[in-house]
């Protein structure tokens, strides 16, 4: 399968710009609130987006990940702020990673999208390029949660 790399990288950057537009001017007092009915905070969702994208890009290849391994204990699947036993990465650090991540990944993986994974993933993906759409729908999913948490916080403070 031949990929149009420019289209995929543009989609990756476009989705990230939507996420950044929502998060960049966020009230820092809101990022750690976990409203009733939610399991996680805005900070957790942003960290999870960053971790997930890095994990999938580096899944089943020999390259070293770009995100510190400590992110897994804060933002990995099944974690929540309620399980944190130490200080998580700061909101500022997460915003910086969120801003830089798509460019870092594009620089690292341009020209490599047809590179095969070491084995087929559990979702049937076989190449690095097949990873990108999966990370896009995952980011949109968590962006929806970020917006819902923010609306809930704003409604409760009025």
């Amino acid at each position: 399968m031949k990929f149009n790399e420019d289209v995929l990288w543009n989609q990756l950057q476009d989705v990230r710009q939507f996420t950044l537009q929502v998060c960049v001017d966020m009230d820092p007092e809101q990022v750690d609130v976990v409203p009733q009915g939610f399991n996680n905070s805005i900070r957790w969702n942003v960290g999870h987006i960053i971790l997930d994208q890095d994990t999938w890009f580096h899944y089943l290849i020999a390259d070293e990940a770009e995100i510190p391994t400590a992110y897994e204990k804060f933002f990995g699947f099944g974690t929540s702020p309620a399980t944190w036993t130490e200080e998580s990465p700061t909101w500022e650090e997460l915003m910086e990673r969120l801003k830089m991540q798509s460019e870092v990944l594009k620089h690292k993986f341009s020209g490599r999208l047809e590179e095969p994974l070491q084995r087929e993933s559990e979702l049937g993906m076989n190449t690095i390029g097949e990873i990108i759409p999966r990370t896009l729908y995952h980011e949109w999913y968590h962006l929806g949660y970020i917006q819902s948490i923010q609306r809930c916080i704003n409604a409760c403070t009025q």
Side-chain angles (χ1 to χ4, degrees), residues 12-32:
L12 189 78
Q13 291 172 323
D14 191 47
V15 169
R16 184 53 54 93
Q17 285 306 311
F18 279 107
T19 304
L20 283 166
Q21 285 172 3
V22 169
C23 295
V24 76
D25 292 325
M26 181 110 15
D27 180 348
E29 304 241 339
Q30 293 183 342
V31 300
D32 291 316

Side-chain angles (χ1 to χ4, degrees), residues 7 9 14 23-24 31 45-46 63 67 69 73 78 99 101 103 105 107 110 113 120 125 127 134 142 152 157-158:
V7 169
W9 292 123
D14 191 47
C23 295
V24 76
V31 300
N45 278 276
V46 168
D63 288 22
I67 302 301
T69 57
K73 68 183 169 189
K99 288 175 189 172
Q101 188 175 38
E103 272 305 311
L105 292 172
H107 178 74
S110 283
L113 296 189
E120 185 178 283
M125 295 175 285
T127 66
R134 190 257 170 232
H142 284 278
C152 186
T157 58
Q158 291 181 352

